[in-house]
Amino acid sequence: MEFNYTIERGNFSGAGVASSNIKKVLKQLNVDNALIKRVVIALYEAEINVVAHAWEGQIHVRIKPHAIEMVIADKGPGIPDIDRAMQEGYSTASPEVRAMGFGAGMGLPNIRKNCDELNIESKINVGTTVTMIIHL
Amino acid sequence: MNVAELAEKLRLEVCCGASGLDREIKGGYASDLLSDVMGNAEEGQVWITLQTHKNIMAIASLKELAAIVLVKGYQPEEEAREESEAEGLPILMTGKQAFEITGEIYELLKNTTSAPPL
């Protein structure tokens, strides 16, 4: 099964649509609840990252027999230093985004904690592609 | 204890999502950082916060929290209100600040739930 979603910069109201839909699908498929929780955390954080930092993004979720593969590809400023971005507490979010309670530097660490495989590729002023895999 | 009982005992105003007042409370989580709640709150907890925008509902719903308690008289934004009604996930309000209401909720849950409240 495959699912596609589009996300755009600044549309905080639309954040959570993909994670909410995928959650419903996984529940219908009787996937283990603990696993669904991990998928939801990782995907929601990835959605927020695009809304907060990129210009626009595409989410592609593939539910395979042994894994859930989520690819979030955005057009955006890119991440200059991925190692630093992975550090808890480090954030480049705007004051507006921080005022909403986002931008605490916990998004990528949350993603890492909940994925079995994580790959981030980024090009400055082109965009970032985050691939998250959770084994079933 | 369910959300209705909590609201009654601590005189919290039910702002919206009243159809979910029978949701069972298993504990609580107090934080204004959304990723902190996303990463660490547990299903069935009440979430104490001063954030009022729509994303609190997205998080509460994704995490299957029991209810949201807004502190210091803060009101939910319209979109959050609509989402709360649609989901049947209550938003409660108190005039008290987070430290006080968290303490009261902790005291109450400590004596009524079998699981550790926080």
Side-chain angles (χ1 to χ4, degrees), chain A residues 12-13 15-16 19-20 23 27 33 37 40-41 44-45 48 99-102 104 106-107 110, chain B residues 32-36 38-40 42-43 51 53-56 58-59 61-64 79 87:
Chain A
F12 281 94
S13 292
S19 29
S20 175
K23 181 184 167 187
K27 285 212 162 185
N33 213 21
K37 286 176 182 175
V40 163
I41 293 171
Y44 183 77
E45 292 290 4
I48 288 295
M100 292 178 79
F102 294 114
M106 301 174 83
N110 265 354
Chain B
D32 300 320
L33 296 178
L34 275 67
S35 287
D36 177 36
M38 198 63 216
N40 300 301
E42 298 283 347
E43 188 179 328
Q51 298 290 351
H53 51 84
K54 190 192 171 189
N55 298 87
I56 58 172
I59 288 173
S61 162
L62 285 168
K63 300 291 286 185
E64 295 174 38
E79 281 189 315
E87 286 273 333

Side-chain angles (χ1 to χ4, degrees), chain A residues 9 49-50 52-58 73-80 121-129:
Chain A
R9 180 187 182 82
N49 278 347
V50 174
H53 298 284
W55 307 321
E56 59 172 81
Q58 299 290 330
D74 72 50
K75 290 179 187 160
I79 306 172
E121 280 172 32
S122 195
K123 241 185 190 160
I124 299 301
N125 288 324
V126 177
T128 301
T129 299

Side-chain angles (χ1 to χ4, degrees), chain B residues 100-111:
Chain B
E100 289 174 55
I101 198 67
T102 301
E104 288 182 17
I105 293 172
Y106 183 88
E107 273 305 311
L108 199 58
L109 293 182
K110 194 172 71 175
N111 301 319

Side-chain angles (χ1 to χ4, degrees), chain A residues 43-93:
Chain A
L43 191 52
Y44 183 77
E45 292 290 4
E47 284 184 81
I48 288 295
N49 278 347
V50 174
V51 174
H53 298 284
W55 307 321
E56 59 172 81
Q58 299 290 330
I59 299 180
H60 183 73
V61 179
R62 197 179 294 162
I63 303 173
K64 298 179 182 175
H66 301 293
I68 298 164
E69 189 184 281
M70 299 171 275
V71 179
I72 299 91
D74 72 50
K75 290 179 187 160
I79 306 172
D81 187 340
I82 293 175
D83 286 342
R84 206 165 168 206
M86 293 304 295
Q87 283 171 21
E88 198 137 355
Y90 179 78
S91 176
T92 58

Side-chain angles (χ1 to χ4, degrees), chain B residues 30 32 48-50 71-72 94 96-103:
Chain B
D32 300 320
I48 299 123
T49 185
L50 51 66
V71 299
K72 294 204 291 186
T94 176
K96 291 175 179 162
Q97 49 110 321
F99 179 74
E100 289 174 55
I101 198 67
T102 301

